[in-house]
Amino acid sequence: MILSNLNNKTLAIHLFRISFGINYFFHGIVRIPNLDTFVTGMQNTFQDTLLPSFLVTSLAYAIPFAEFIIGLLLLLNKFTRETLIATFILMNILVIGSSFAQKWDLVGLQCTYIGFLFLLLYFMNDNLNLKNK
């Protein structure tokens, strides 16, 4: 089996990528069928902030689809570098939004995700070992 040929570091980064992919995939997959509820929740969260409602609404409609695509690409190990960069951008947008809403607990959690993204991107060369086997 291909996994038995991987050292622990390379195996760990693959399992980490897969776990992160599952996380994002299911964030998107459970929100898409309830998209209007998700959008309404986002609109309510940001109604008393400086963010314009058209921006909140358009991002709220896009986020579940972005999460789904990010998760799928991470699970498939396709365009991984580009996917991680796009995920950094998404997470920074979420940090900005959470900061406007003064949801500091969410900012902390989102920064934790950013730290994990850093690790995935930093160790991505080990990810190539599986593709080349």
Side-chain angles (χ1 to χ4, degrees):
M1 182 170 175
I2 203 166
L3 293 179
S4 62
N5 296 331
L6 299 177
N7 64 40
N8 286 344
K9 179 182 171 189
T10 303
L11 179 59
I13 200 67
H14 285 294
L15 294 174
F16 192 29
R17 175 187 48 76
I18 290 166
S19 296
F20 224 63
I22 289 169
N23 182 312
Y24 273 92
F25 181 80
F26 281 99
H27 265 85
I29 208 83
V30 301
R31 288 177 172 161
I32 291 171
N34 303 305
L35 193 56
D36 290 331
T37 303
F38 176 72
V39 171
T40 300
M42 293 286 282
Q43 289 168 331
N44 291 338
T45 298
F46 292 99
Q47 68 184 354
D48 294 327
T49 69
L50 296 174
L51 291 175
S53 62
F54 77 88
L55 184 60
V56 171
T57 300
S58 58
L59 282 171
Y61 275 111
I63 287 169
F65 294 99
E67 291 170 330
F68 172 78
I69 292 167
I70 286 166
L72 184 62
L73 290 173
L74 288 175
L75 287 169
L76 296 174
N77 202 22
K78 298 290 182 191
F79 309 107
T80 307
R81 183 173 192 267
E82 294 82 359
T83 300
L84 291 173
I85 292 167
T87 310
F88 266 104
I89 293 167
L90 173 63
M91 291 309 302
N92 281 294
I93 290 169
L94 295 176
V95 165
I96 291 166
S98 296
S99 296
F100 270 102
Q102 298 184 50
K103 302 283 186 183
W104 306 118
D105 55 333
L106 288 178
V107 172
L109 179 60
Q110 292 159 343
C111 287
T112 302
Y113 271 68
I114 290 169
F116 291 148
L117 287 167
F118 165 81
L119 292 173
L120 282 169
L121 186 58
Y122 185 81
F123 290 108
M124 198 185 74
N125 285 341
D126 295 317
N127 194 36
L128 298 175
N129 293 337
L130 186 63
K131 288 183 179 180
N132 296 331
K133 297 253 179 205

